[in-house]
Amino acid sequence: MLLFTSFPIRQLPGIIPRSHRTHLVFCQQIRNTNTSISSQKWRGNLKTMKVQSSVFDNMMTPELKKISDVFEKYNYEIRIAGGAVRDVLMNKLPHDIDFATTATPTQMKEMFSKEGIRMLNMNGEKHGTITARIDDKENFEVTTLRIDVVTDGRRAEVNFTTDWKIDANRRDLTINAMFLDFQGTLYDYFNGKEDLENRRIRFVGDPTERIQEDYLRIMRYFRFFGRIADSNTVHDKDTLVSIKQNAKGLKRISGERLWMELNKIVTGNFAGSLMETMVSCDIHTYLGFPEVMNLDEFKRVCEVTEGQTFHVMTRLAALLSTEDQVYDLDNRLKFSNDDFDVAVFILKNRSSPMGDNKLTFCKYLLVDTSGAVRKTQEKVCELLKYRNEYDVLEEFRSWSPPLLPVSGTDLLSFDIPRGPLYKRTIDEIRQKWKYSDFKLTKEELLEMVPQILEEVKSTPVKKSPKPKRKRRN
């Protein structure tokens, strides 16, 4: 059970309207002068309340308490930030816990060194993040409170601050701009708790300003909508206008980062309606999708896979019409080899007639598809989910593919040289075995080899097309 106790505090200054350009000039002035950042006025009115939750109690591991004690010993504030706060408020035990602190990276390094705490991956230091390894059990990312001084639509140059409100102002969504201290006090500057309770997704302050600071926030908006919203949640019209006006900024974002977000959107809740909204905001073409996509087919596949375990490409492939569109999308988003293969496999086979015996269709498809048997089995299973053939899926899963009884060693006595002729002979042997319902024995198949060799030699060789895509590591 989650209980909150509110208590009054002094209200902090409210909103000061400013354009994105003014924000950059103002921040540059902060850099070049001794102006106190904390003396300026920023958006947000702080509300605090006490969180009483068994989830919060269970979260307080010895390692968590140790890192809290270290910061307290050196008189620096530290609070839980981001997704862990959301999870606690939703009565979920967080998997990852990140922290914000008033200590600078230099101060943290000095403090951790004195306490014998190992530090990992120092790449985040320039942005204020130090990763501490506590008792060789847990890694905690601790980030200095900061202000984004200059942004280019993806990355920011930062200055550090000790003002929690300033740090909250730079965050993307209200539900991500809350902090929780180790005594269970929630610090909420933008009604994030209320938005979370109402399953409402809002940007901190002006949506256009937040988006132009980092265009990836467009994708994060839709990802969190799918994660937090319920069936009654609606999009704020002004937010969608801002997203549409700034959609072209996604061109600046790397394909890998876009794919990380899109993957979660496609596999999350309300994927069908979210994709439709994204299309209405003209986002899809900047992700590498064709101008026209099959949204009705996508919604159908989302519906039949709802509540099931499925591969992301099982849904995504529904949006595409041709294999060339898979290649175009891959050029932008940089799929893994497995992701790419599943998408191409589904597009090749989604309309193939299965005949009266659907299980036999699946068996033959497995044998006729090159590649590792296990991965091919998985692809056939994803195809069955796509086609809503769950009864056949269970039968196919329970079938153990037999091994071709003839091996390369068995063909040595036929003096077949390694190369195209050898491969074609093995392929034809496999076909004979397949059409016998996998019943022909090794001896029976070897008896057929002379005849198979004659047929193969008399059949013109078809040149295999050059692959359009290099395999990724």
Side-chain angles (χ1 to χ4, degrees):
M1 185 176 181
L2 201 59
L3 300 175
F4 299 96
T5 306
S6 301
F7 46 90
I9 63 166
R10 181 175 62 84
Q11 293 256 325
L12 294 175
I15 297 174
I16 291 183
R18 62 176 185 275
S19 68
H20 185 62
R21 181 179 177 183
T22 304
H23 173 65
L24 296 184
V25 172
F26 172 70
C27 292
Q28 193 64 42
Q29 290 172 346
I30 291 174
R31 168 182 282 179
N32 296 331
T33 70
N34 292 322
T35 303
S36 170
I37 294 176
S38 60
S39 69
Q40 306 301 322
K41 293 182 179 180
W42 298 84
R43 296 182 177 92
N45 293 306
L46 177 60
K47 296 178 181 177
T48 62
M49 58 205 71
K50 203 74 173 177
V51 176
Q52 296 177 335
S53 164
S54 58
V55 169
F56 179 75
D57 296 337
N58 293 334
M59 187 176 67
M60 298 302 294
T61 62
E63 293 74 35
L64 209 67
K65 188 174 187 310
K66 179 172 181 176
I67 200 166
S68 170
D69 291 342
V70 169
F71 278 82
E72 184 178 355
K73 176 180 177 180
Y74 289 86
N75 296 316
Y76 298 118
E77 287 186 274
I78 181 172
R79 296 173 188 170
I80 300 164
V85 181
R86 284 197 321 271
D87 287 342
V88 170
L89 295 182
M90 296 180 73
N91 220 25
K92 298 177 182 178
L93 188 65
H95 293 295
D96 297 304
I97 305 174
D98 295 329
F99 303 92
T101 181
T102 55
T104 66
T106 299
Q107 290 166 337
M108 282 193 275
K109 287 192 295 182
E110 291 174 353
M111 177 174 62
F112 290 147
S113 295
K114 288 179 182 178
E115 296 298 319
I117 293 174
R118 190 154 59 98
M119 289 167 278
L120 311 174
N121 187 13
M122 305 304 286
N123 294 333
E125 183 178 346
K126 64 182 178 179
H127 294 293
T129 300
I130 300 293
T131 303
R133 176 76 173 166
I134 305 297
D135 294 339
D136 281 330
K137 290 184 179 180
E138 287 196 68
N139 298 338
F140 293 125
E141 285 190 359
V142 189
T143 302
T144 305
L145 299 180
R146 67 194 191 196
I147 176 175
D148 295 339
V149 178
V150 179
T151 63
D152 63 1
R154 180 64 191 100
R155 294 175 179 84
E157 295 181 31
V158 303
N159 273 352
F160 301 134
T161 179
T162 57
D163 192 314
W164 294 90
K165 184 177 184 179
I166 290 175
D167 187 89
N169 267 266
R170 70 163 181 88
R171 295 179 181 263
D172 53 1
L173 304 171
T174 61
I175 59 173
N176 295 335
M178 297 179 285
F179 305 101
L180 186 63
D181 69 19
F182 290 86
Q183 290 70 48
T185 300
L186 179 72
Y187 297 83
D188 183 2
Y189 293 90
F190 298 98
N191 294 319
K193 175 180 171 292
E194 181 181 325
D195 286 343
L196 197 59
E197 290 173 344
N198 292 320
R199 298 294 189 262
R200 184 170 54 215
I201 308 301
R202 290 192 305 120
F203 283 102
V204 169
D206 178 29
T208 297
E209 186 176 332
R210 294 283 80 77
I211 290 169
Q212 289 178 352
E213 290 167 349
D214 181 356
Y215 291 102
L216 187 64
R217 288 173 172 172
I218 290 174
M219 301 298 290
R220 284 173 59 82
Y221 169 84
F222 288 105
R223 194 240 295 181
F224 278 104
F225 193 99
R227 184 173 176 179
I228 301 298
D230 62 20
S231 58
N232 298 316
T233 307
V234 296
H235 295 278
D236 176 73
K237 292 182 180 179
D238 291 339
T239 296
L240 293 185
V241 168
S242 293
I243 288 173
K244 186 169 185 176
Q245 289 174 344
N246 289 280
K248 63 183 178 182
L250 290 171
K251 290 192 292 185
R252 303 187 187 187
I253 309 299
S254 72
E256 291 88 346
R257 294 307 302 271
L258 291 173
W259 177 229
M260 286 177 64
E261 297 294 332
L262 181 62
N263 190 318
K264 295 173 183 175
I265 293 168
V266 170
T267 56
N269 299 323
F270 314 118
S273 62
L274 283 177
M275 187 59 67
E276 191 170 43
T277 303
M278 291 167 69
V279 170
S280 72
C281 291
D282 298 332
I283 291 172
H284 58 300
T285 54
Y286 299 108
L287 305 180
F289 285 104
E291 185 68 40
V292 178
M293 298 191 298
N294 195 339
L295 289 172
D296 289 338
E297 176 71 351
F298 180 69
K299 288 179 180 178
R300 181 197 70 79
V301 176
C302 287
E303 184 177 339
V304 300
T305 53
E306 188 69 35
Q308 305 291 333
T309 301
F310 58 89
H311 195 287
V312 59
M313 288 303 187
T314 303
R315 285 187 172 182
L316 195 72
L319 291 164
L320 308 176
S321 301
T322 65
E323 287 183 48
D324 284 342
Q325 290 178 355
V326 180
Y327 283 94
D328 291 340
L329 195 58
D330 174 60
N331 287 335
R332 177 67 176 107
L333 300 180
K334 315 300 182 192
F335 297 137
S336 69
N337 293 329
D338 287 344
D339 289 347
F340 179 85
D341 290 346
V342 172
V344 170
F345 183 84
I346 288 177
L347 259 75
K348 278 183 176 179
N349 298 289
R350 64 184 176 184
S351 300
S352 301
M354 298 181 76
D356 295 333
N357 193 326
K358 296 178 181 180
L359 180 60
T360 297
F361 168 86
C362 295
K363 292 178 180 180
Y364 286 6
L365 186 57
L366 173 61
V367 171
D368 292 339
T369 303
S370 61
V373 172
R374 182 184 60 81
K375 287 190 174 182
T376 304
Q377 277 183 294
E378 292 171 358
K379 287 188 280 191
V380 175
C381 287
E382 294 304 318
L383 176 67
L384 291 171
K385 295 171 192 176
Y386 182 100
R387 297 179 67 150
N388 198 24
E389 297 285 356
Y390 283 93
D391 290 343
V392 185
L393 175 63
E394 293 307 313
E395 281 189 273
F396 181 69
R397 276 179 173 163
S398 63
W399 179 66
S400 297
L403 292 175
L404 179 66
V406 175
S407 67
T409 305
D410 298 320
L411 298 183
L412 291 176
S413 60
F414 295 94
D415 296 324
I416 305 174
R418 293 281 183 177
L421 180 62
Y422 176 87
K423 181 181 181 303
R424 292 171 64 201
T425 302
I426 283 287
D427 287 344
E428 189 58 32
I429 290 171
R430 185 178 287 106
Q431 291 299 308
K432 301 284 188 186
W433 176 63
K434 177 186 81 176
Y435 285 120
S436 74
D437 197 23
F438 313 103
K439 292 177 180 176
L440 284 174
T441 65
K442 175 179 177 178
E443 290 73 21
E444 290 170 328
L445 288 169
L446 290 176
E447 286 179 6
M448 298 179 180
V449 170
Q451 180 185 348
I452 290 173
L453 269 173
E454 288 184 17
E455 294 173 355
V456 168
K457 288 177 181 179
S458 61
T459 304
V461 178
K462 293 182 181 179
K463 289 186 178 180
S464 300
K466 293 182 179 179
K468 298 180 183 180
R469 176 185 188 266
K470 291 183 178 180
R471 307 296 284 175
R472 292 198 173 94
N473 294 329

